[in-house]
């Protein structure tokens, strides 16, 4: 585990859990309170957060790189990383044009927490404070180790998906889902899922050709 | 001469490509915005005769004195004029829906209650109303032209909307004048521009002060009592602008709308009671015609082709309507051009010869049957003449033959359309003759049926002909369009090829210099691929009408993302091990002023430790620059909501306007002071401060002071005519700015000192001798110093000019754009950025385009700031105000081009520029800054031209795509101007310096430098 190896089944289970968490969030919001992302974005996002946070934190802390660190440390770091990542994501979204009126504050906060769960929290769980790991994950566009895939591909997928998800917003279709942050959330989730699929595939490829990335 | 790419070759290829582009563009423009054939001159007595195939020699009948002409017409036409006086009341922007309702439903209750008198007239059958469909573009001037001439102009009429010129085509007003009418005009001064010398009395109001809804209309109504009492006029035109202004401010449902409608209703009541009801016995009959030139969207805009905008009103109130028995309660649909022939026949003048309108059904009911048919015949003859102009030989020879076959009607090509029209005309004529025959032969049995047949067949012919003619106006020669596109495509490929060659050459040189560092050997960086993807996405997005309308989002999104990627790359490089930089960092000399002063803390790295600490500092500093650009960009995005669909949402500018004058003024002054400080800072960085720099500096302060005075002065009169003092102040500023810029550009290369000492700092040279190095480096340094001074002068004075011209609310955005450009230049000039030069140039261009939309511009013609275009212009000059309008609209992109001069001067290109003075290095210096904007623009231009061609039948082609195309053409011009300024400045500076150093060096050393002169 120390050099970033991980079993394919483990990666698959991890990603399935994360997907299930999202699905459960949507399901619970829909069944229990009859909420949908389009009609009540803020509440639905809060449901997604409630279900997804424990799953992401628990499962990614489990695959932390440095197993000498205790489990609880990874978890607490993740809980600390959640608002930090949310802040970064919110700043990024606002700089890219997300509305800042009081009407949108709540949704923006929830959305950025969700994005933090997709992007920043897994990295904090897995790498902790290890400067080397952070350098590698940020400086290299291509992941070199299996755990890097696990962290970076879903994160990149979520960011690219959210970015693409913003494009329909100026269209004059007058659909309710064109509001911030609904379609961006859909895009992020779609990108996240694609990223997770790719990450599973990459982990599998790396397992079979361990030196393919070192060249 | 690595790849044989010389400057001259590059320049000539580029010029060829640009010329090709201009050629292709003009082909496409001519094809897409056609000028259709029109009949010259005015229709005269010949219009009462059957058209013949021989060209009509204009008889001298029309030279008759007015009184005689009038009776002559009366005698010829056999349709006696029904009225003698006409009141034409134009209510700008009134949708017919307000008066007549929509889809056969009555108007809403508020609207009905707002116009009680008009509604009572309508319900009593005393007025006849039509939904008169206006052709797009729904702006005032083309619509007025359509109403008085009956002809539909092309789209380009809009371009002349603000720059009205006299209407020279045949029209009703000139026809009236010919028969000796006296014309009076009160209202929109567009009429005066259309007919400069026609009116005996006139009081024009300007439509530029859109915020004023009271004064504009009061200026008209105050004359009403006197005018209605006067008897000297035959035609009184009243053009009320207030309702349009109400719409522009608050949209259809503005609270001001009902009072404004009531005001209009009162005017109608006043005219009706004064002139129509109380007519002096058997004196002149008066007809009141109430028309609107166009409608408005729910947000109050107009210009497009939606139902809301084209649904305009035509309301006729007169005695003959009251007397006619057939009471039409249901308003009919008609076309706006139908007003022209109807009025012509009602008042006994020839129908204007380019008319495509059809007599309004129901307007001639008071005439006898014979007269009605005669009127229709006259209308048909006129239309036939116009048809013959479009397709010569129509109906020649077989005018009376009814050889037509119903089967012909289904064919669609031009020939059979001709035959179909010929058939319809013959049928109408023959049924008319039949009816006449029956009348004379006293066979009364089927007379009514015959009449109906004749009327309906005339209308059928007229309807078909009118439709065909109006389609002709929008018909496009596909071959011309395609060849235009093909030429533009070739030019685009040529430009892409040039840029690619340049890129390859730069890449090879880069590789030589950076063979040590690994990451530069990577072919594509993330920023490069994103720039390419961004350009692609932008081009694709132009295919969607709402993305064109809301283009400001696209640009802001792409630019911000690009700078976020820059931020990422800074963070990445800060996380990398510092060792790899050590090699590079000490082979650079820190000789440029700007860079030196901004990176003082790291000028002498001696140990690895020190270097890494300074590197950390440096990266923080770079990151903060990018963050500044990003945050300013977000503020700029929030400044104007922009676009079309969400333009009403709150934004910073609306907030500021609400807070009041004082704050706007305070912000303006703060902006000016900020600009003064920044400008002084920029001047203080000039390395060699000779007296010239101080002269420019001082004149900068003087100009700033003048602008300050102007800002304080112009507060008092936001609405109303500009006073001469303000005008002369603005003129002084223009002269100051212009002369200082010209002076700096032309004089500074001659006087700026060129020193020979700095060259020795350069190390790491391989093959050339020391003296040559010294000379070349000092030469380049001189060029860069000079370019820096010129670029700074250009940018700061440009910003000052913008503070003068832009709307008051736009001052801070101008400063923001300036700050963004400067921050990105400082970031790019720091030597550790690893972006390729083309990405940096593209980023600056992107910033310029984002700024263009950030200053409140959009792709709708409505956002052009017309008011600013008249600052400092004492007499109406189309060219001057056009130039000012261009300067205002393209403030940000041009600022981007001007700051590229600074970029060229401070960008560290020592690795790129070979140190041989004989070598041709100009293209490496200005290659990308000149070529890349051309290419980016060219790609968008070609793509959008193709999109426009594909969308030519789209609903929004006139309201969204065509205006965007005009903007695109204007931005093409903007790119040409920007590139020309860059190229000229740098080439001129280099040549002058080369001459100077050539003169100097020939005194003691060899004449190597003369080579570089000849190369330039």
């Amino acid at each position: 585990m120390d050099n970033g190896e991980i079993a394919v089944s483990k990666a698959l289970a991890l990603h399935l859990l994360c997907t299930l968490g999202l699905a459960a969030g949507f399901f619970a919001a829909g069944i229990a309170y009859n909420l949908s992302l389009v009609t009540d974005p803020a509440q639905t996002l809060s449901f997604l957060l409630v279900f997804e946070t424990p799953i992401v934190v628990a499962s990614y802390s489990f695959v932390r790189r440095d197993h000498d660190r205790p489990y609880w440390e990874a978890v607490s770091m993740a809980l600390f990383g959640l608002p930090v990542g949310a802040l970064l994501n919110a700043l990024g979204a606002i700089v890219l044009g997300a509305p800042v009126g009081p009407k949108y504050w709540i949704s923006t906060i929830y959305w950025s927490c969700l994005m933090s769960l997709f992007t920043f929290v897994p990295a904090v769980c897995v790498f902790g404070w290890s400067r080397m790991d952070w350098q590698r994950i940020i400086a290299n566009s291509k992941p070199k180790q299996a755990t890097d895939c696990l962290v970076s591909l879903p994160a990149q997928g979520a960011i690219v998906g959210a970015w693409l998800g913003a494009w329909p917003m100026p269209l004059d279709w007058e659909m309710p889902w064109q509001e911030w942050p609904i379609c961006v959330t859909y895009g992020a989730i779609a990108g996240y899922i694609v990223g997770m699929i790719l990450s599973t595939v990459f982990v599998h490829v790396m397992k079979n050709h361990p030196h393919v990335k070192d060249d | 001469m690595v790849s044989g790419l010389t400057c001259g070759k590059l320049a000539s290829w580029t010029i060829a490509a640009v010329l090709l582009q201009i050629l292709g563009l003009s082909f496409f423009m001519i094809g897409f915005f056609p000028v259709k054939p029109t009949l010259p001159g005015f229709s005269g007595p010949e219009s009462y005769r059957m058209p013949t195939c021989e060209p009509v020699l204009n008889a001298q009948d029309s030279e008759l004195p007015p009184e005689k002409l009038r009776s002559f017409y009366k005698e010829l036409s056999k349709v006696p004029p029904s009225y003698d006086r006409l009141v034409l009341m134009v209510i700008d922007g009134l949708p017919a829906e307000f008066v007549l309702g929509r889809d056969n439903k009555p108007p809403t209750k508020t609207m009905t209650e707002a116009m009680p008198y008009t509604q009572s007239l309508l319900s009593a059958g005393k007025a006849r109303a039509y939904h008169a469909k206006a052709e797009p573009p729904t702006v005032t001037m083309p619509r007025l032209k359509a109403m008085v001439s009956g002809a539909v102009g092309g789209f380009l009429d809009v371009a002349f909307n603000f720059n009205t010129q006299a209407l020279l085509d045949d029209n009703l007003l000139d026809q009236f004048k010919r028969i000796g009418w006296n014309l009076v005009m009160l209202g929109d001064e567009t009429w005066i521009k259309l007919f400069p010398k026609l009116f005996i009395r006139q009081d024009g109001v300007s439509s530029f002060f859109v915020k004023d809804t009271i004064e504009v209309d009061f200026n008209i109504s105050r004359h009403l009592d006197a005018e209605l009492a006067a008897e000297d006029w035959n035609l009184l035109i009243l053009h009320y602008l207030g309702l349009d202004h109400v719409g522009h401010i608050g949209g259809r449902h503005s609270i001001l709308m009902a009072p404004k409608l009531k005001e209009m209703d009162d005017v109608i009541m006043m005219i009706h009671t004064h002139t129509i009801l109380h007519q002096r016995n058997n004196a002149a009959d008066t007809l009141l015609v109430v028309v609107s030139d166009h409608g408005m969207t729910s947000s109050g805009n107009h210009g497009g082709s939606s139902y809301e905008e084209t649904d305009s009103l035509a309301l006729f109130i007169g005695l003959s309507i009251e007397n006619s028995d057939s009471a039409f309660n249901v308003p009919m649909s008609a076309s706006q051009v139908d007003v022209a022939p109807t009025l012509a026949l009602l008042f006994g003048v020839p129908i204007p010869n380019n008319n495509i309108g059809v007599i309004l059904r129901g307007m001639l009911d008071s005439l006898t049957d014979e007269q009605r048919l005669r009127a229709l015949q006259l209308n048909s003859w006129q239309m036939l003449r116009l048809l013959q102009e479009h397709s010569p030989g129509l109906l020649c020879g077989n005018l009376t033959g009814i050889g037509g076959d119903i089967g012909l009607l289904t064919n669609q090509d031009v020939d059979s359309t001709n035959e179909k029209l010929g058939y319809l005309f013959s049928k109408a004529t023959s049924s008319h003759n039949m009816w006449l025959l029956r009348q004379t032969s006293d066979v009364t049995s089927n007379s009514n049926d015959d009449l109906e047949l004749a009327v309906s067949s005339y209308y059928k012919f007229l309807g078909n002909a009118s439709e065909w003619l109006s389609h002709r106006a929008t018909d496009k020669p596909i071959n011309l369009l395609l060849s235009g596109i093909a030429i533009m495509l070739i030019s685009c490929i040529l430009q892409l090829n040039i840029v690619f060659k340049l890129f390859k050459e730069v890449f090879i040189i880069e590789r030589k210099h950076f063979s040590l560092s690994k990451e530069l050997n990577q072919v594509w960086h993330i920023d490069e691929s994103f720039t390419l993807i961004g350009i692609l996405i932008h081009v694709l997005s132009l295919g969607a009408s709402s993305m064109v309308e809301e283009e400001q989002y696209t640009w802001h999104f792409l630019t911000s993302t690009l700078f976020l990627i820059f931020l990422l790359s800074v963070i990445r490089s800060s996380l990398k091990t510092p060792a790899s930089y050590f090699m590079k960092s000490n082979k650079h000399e820190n000789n440029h002023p700007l860079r030196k002063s901004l990176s003082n803390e790291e000028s002498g790295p001696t140990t690895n430790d020190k270097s890494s600490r300074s590197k950390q500092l440096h990266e923080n500093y770079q990151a903060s620059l990018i963050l500044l650009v990003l945050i300013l960009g977000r503020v700029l995005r929030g400044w104007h909501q922009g676009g079309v669909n969400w333009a009403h949402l709150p934004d910073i500018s609306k907030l500021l306007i609400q807070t009041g004058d004082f704050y706007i003024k305070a912000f303006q002054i703060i902006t000016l002071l900020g600009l003064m400080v920044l400008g002084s800072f920029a001047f203080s960085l000039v390395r060699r401060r000779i007296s010239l720099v101080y002269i420019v500096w001082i004149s900068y302060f003087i100009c700033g002071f003048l602008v300050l005075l102007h800002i304080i002065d112009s507060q008092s009169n936001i609405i109303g005519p500009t006073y001469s003092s303000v005008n002369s102040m603005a003129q002084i500023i223009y002269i100051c700015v212009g002369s200082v810029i010209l002076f700096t550009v032309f004089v500074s290369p001659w006087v700026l000192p060129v020193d020979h000492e700095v060259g020795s700092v350069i190390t790491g040279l391989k093959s050339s001798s020391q003296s040559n190095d010294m000379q070349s480096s000092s030469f380049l340094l001189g060029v860069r110093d000079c370019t820096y001074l010129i670029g700074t002068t250009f940018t700061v004075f440009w910003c000052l000019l913008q503070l003068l011209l832009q709307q008051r609310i736009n001052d801070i955005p101008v400063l923001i754009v300036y700050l963004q450009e400067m921050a990105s230049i400082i970031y790019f000039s720091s030597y550790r950025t690893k972006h390729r030069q083309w990405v940096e140039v593209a980023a600056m261009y992107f910033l310029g385009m984002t700024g263009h939309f950030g200053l409140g511009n959009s792709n709708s013609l409505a956002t052009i700031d017309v008011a600013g275009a008249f600052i400092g212009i004492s007499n109406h000059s189309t060219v001057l105000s056009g130039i000012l309008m261009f300067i205002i609209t393209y403030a940000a992109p041009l600022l981007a081009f001007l700051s590229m001069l600074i970029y060229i001067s401070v960008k560290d290109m020592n690795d790129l520029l070979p140190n041989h003075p004989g070598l041709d290095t100009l293209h490496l210096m200005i290659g990308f800054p000149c070529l890349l904007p051309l290419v980016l623009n060219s790609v968008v231009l070609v793509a959008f031209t193709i999109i426009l061609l594909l969308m030519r039948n789209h609903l929004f082609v006139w309201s969204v795509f065509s205006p965007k195309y005009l903007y695109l053409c204007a931005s093409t011009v903007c790119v040409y101007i920007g590139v020309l300024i860059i190229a000229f400045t740098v080439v001129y500076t280099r040549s002058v310096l080369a001459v100077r150093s050539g003169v100097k060096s020939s005194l003691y050393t060899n004449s190597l430098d003369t080579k570089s002169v000849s190369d330039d």
Side-chain angles (χ1 to χ4, degrees), chain B residues 968-996:
Chain B
L968 206 52
C969 295
S971 68
T972 309
V973 173
C974 166
V975 171
Y976 291 162
I977 293 174
V979 167
L980 201 69
I981 290 175
I982 296 174
F984 173 77
T985 310
V986 177
V987 170
Y988 175 76
T989 311
R990 273 182 70 109
S991 328
V992 170
L993 285 176
V995 167
R996 282 178 64 198

Side-chain angles (χ1 to χ4, degrees), chain B residues 25-238:
Chain B
L25 186 60
S26 40
F27 272 19
F28 187 85
M29 288 291 273
I30 291 167
F32 201 83
F33 304 110
V35 184
K36 56 186 176 123
T38 51
L39 286 165
F42 291 82
S43 27
E46 81 283 351
S47 67
Y48 298 105
R49 294 184 207 110
M50 178 85 176
T52 52
C53 291
E54 289 80 44
V56 186
L57 296 168
N58 244 341
Q60 60 274 33
D61 299 337
S62 51
E63 305 302 322
L64 290 171
E67 281 305 316
K68 277 196 181 153
L69 194 66
R70 186 193 299 203
S71 51
F72 188 47
Y73 281 159
K74 204 167 169 178
E75 177 192 323
L76 279 174
S77 78
K78 297 171 199 152
V79 183
S82 312
Y83 299 92
D84 300 310
R85 300 176 98 199
L86 169 65
V87 180
L88 181 64
M89 178 177 171
V90 184
I91 305 177
D92 209 292
L94 172 70
E97 193 180 333
F98 284 4
V99 184
L100 311 175
R102 186 172 178 171
D103 302 333
N104 293 333
K105 280 179 211 125
T108 57
K109 196 156 168 271
T110 32
M111 295 302 169
T112 324
E113 281 167 1
M115 303 193 83
Y117 193 77
T118 315
Q119 293 297 342
S120 73
L121 285 178
L122 277 171
S123 53
K126 291 178 177 174
R128 180 150 301 138
Y130 298 86
H131 285 280
K133 187 176 172 297
E135 293 289 324
T138 43
V139 268
T140 299
M141 195 191 70
R143 303 290 38 90
L144 293 185
K145 279 185 181 173
M147 268 188 283
V148 296
S149 71
V152 181
F155 175 78
L156 286 185
D157 264 5
V158 193
F160 300 111
N161 188 23
F162 297 120
N163 132 40
T164 336
Q165 43 212 20
L167 178 59
L168 300 174
D169 294 337
D170 193 3
N171 63 80
L172 279 182
L173 265 60
D174 279 312
Q175 292 286 359
F176 287 148
K177 189 78 186 173
R178 282 167 171 242
I179 59 166
W181 277 26
N182 289 322
L183 291 77
V184 176
M185 203 294 303
L186 308 170
D188 189 357
E189 61 183 7
T190 310
W191 285 99
I192 302 174
K193 291 172 188 162
L194 281 174
F195 307 103
K197 287 173 188 155
L198 211 59
F199 303 108
I200 54 163
R201 278 193 300 280
Q202 58 190 30
D203 182 14
V205 292
S206 171
S207 62
F208 288 141
F209 304 106
V210 171
K211 282 169 200 158
D212 165 33
T213 66
I214 314 283
E215 285 291 315
V216 272
D217 289 353
F218 175 70
N219 274 340
I220 304 167
S221 297
R222 64 183 168 154
H223 297 292
L224 263 187
D225 278 322
E227 288 298 344
L228 291 181
E231 289 177 24
D232 58 345
W233 54 263
N234 303 82
L235 169 62
L236 173 64
I237 296 173
L238 308 166

Side-chain angles (χ1 to χ4, degrees), chain B residues 382-398:
Chain B
Q382 173 268 324
M383 201 95 80
L384 193 65
R385 276 199 188 85
L386 189 59
L387 282 175
Q388 282 173 338
E389 182 69 21
H390 278 265
S391 50
L394 178 70
L395 283 186
C396 278
N398 61 343

Side-chain angles (χ1 to χ4, degrees), chain A residues 94-100 131 135 138-141 163 166-167 169-172, chain B residues 530 537 546-547 550 553-554 556-558 560-561 564 572 575-576 630 634 645-646:
Chain A
I94 287 170
V95 155
L96 285 176
V100 283
R131 189 182 155 86
Q135 263 173 23
I138 293 178
N140 293 318
S141 41
W163 190 85
W167 279 99
M169 285 172 75
L171 293 172
D172 61 351
Chain B
F530 174 75
I537 289 181
S546 39
M547 292 303 254
E550 311 290 329
Y553 290 106
T554 315
H556 172 252
F557 200 54
L558 289 176
S560 305
T561 314
L564 277 177
R572 272 186 176 180
L575 282 171
K576 281 195 175 150
L630 284 170
R634 184 63 182 92
N645 296 320
W646 293 279

